[in-house]
Amino acid sequence: MTDTTHAAPGIHYGAAPEVKQKHRAMWALGDYPAVAAEIVAPLGGVLVDACEVGPGHQVLDVAAGTGTVALPAARAGASVTASDLTPELLAVGERTARAEELDVAWHEGDAEALPYPDGSFDVTTSCVGVMFAPFHRAAAHELVRVTRAGGRIGLVSWTPEGFIGQMFSVMRPYAPPPPPGASPAPLWGSEPHVLDLLGDRVDEVDTARAHLPVDRFDDGAAFRDYFKTRYGPTIAVYRTLADTPERAAELDAALADLGDRHLSGGVMAWEYLLLTARRR
């Protein structure tokens, strides 16, 4: 079965609702469902396996998008709640879950203020999702809070040094300044940063760096054009450059060069950090 509760009761956006609205709109740009299905999808299975998700588990996938983790977790027999700020992404995952008759509830929710009681879930996950919540400490607090004592937390995050982390570094000089107090998303892929965020509220922490092989692009220009039309953060940056075509051309060249430098034998290796831990 599948249940939908878009705009779930109890959702709140803290002190900066305009920031959340901008993030929601950004991830609705382009075609992130295609990026998730064509590139990111294998990471969902990685996280489900790492967290040993199985029948009887109550699982929350935070910043779930179209269900990269939620869907394979449900296929493994878990009862899953998928929470995301962007209802357009949830709707795509919901259609898949309905077609497969999977046990997934789809809730609109803010990763920094999750609308669930303390200790509600056996397993709490996020796959390249919660890392994009701008206020990292608030998001980390929520991940721990909603996990039961002894429950497992599992995260996959792009690393600062890896391909996607470098892509954001390339885009940063062309993007508007972040909101005050916000932290760069790829810091979630830095072991010291994420361990500091989780603190002494977790134990049995295990971290490992690995690479997602990506063989979709013939050259850096093909990568750039794919992200310019499908990936919300990249589209948003280019929109700010609409009146400065010379800067847009600079960014075009920089992203194509980044892609070319990371292609080897027709394959890119996108580094990510896999973290699992138990709540004390």
Side-chain angles (χ1 to χ4, degrees), residues 21 40 47 49 55 99 126 135 141 152 156 199 226 238-239 260:
Q21 297 295 345
V40 179
L47 201 46
D49 291 344
S126 190
F135 304 109
H141 171 80
R152 191 179 293 272
V156 165
Y226 183 95
Y238 273 98
R239 286 191 173 186
D260 285 333

Side-chain angles (χ1 to χ4, degrees), residues 210-227:
H211 294 87
L212 174 68
V214 178
D215 61 359
R216 288 193 58 84
F217 309 116
D218 293 332
D219 55 26
F223 148 74
R224 177 201 64 210
D225 293 344
Y226 183 95
F227 268 58

Side-chain angles (χ1 to χ4, degrees), residues 217-249:
F217 309 116
D218 293 332
D219 55 26
F223 148 74
R224 177 201 64 210
D225 293 344
Y226 183 95
F227 268 58
K228 280 180 68 173
T229 57
R230 291 170 177 81
Y231 192 63
T234 307
I235 295 168
V237 171
Y238 273 98
R239 286 191 173 186
T240 69
L241 303 177
D243 296 328
T244 54
E246 68 284 355
R247 284 180 57 75

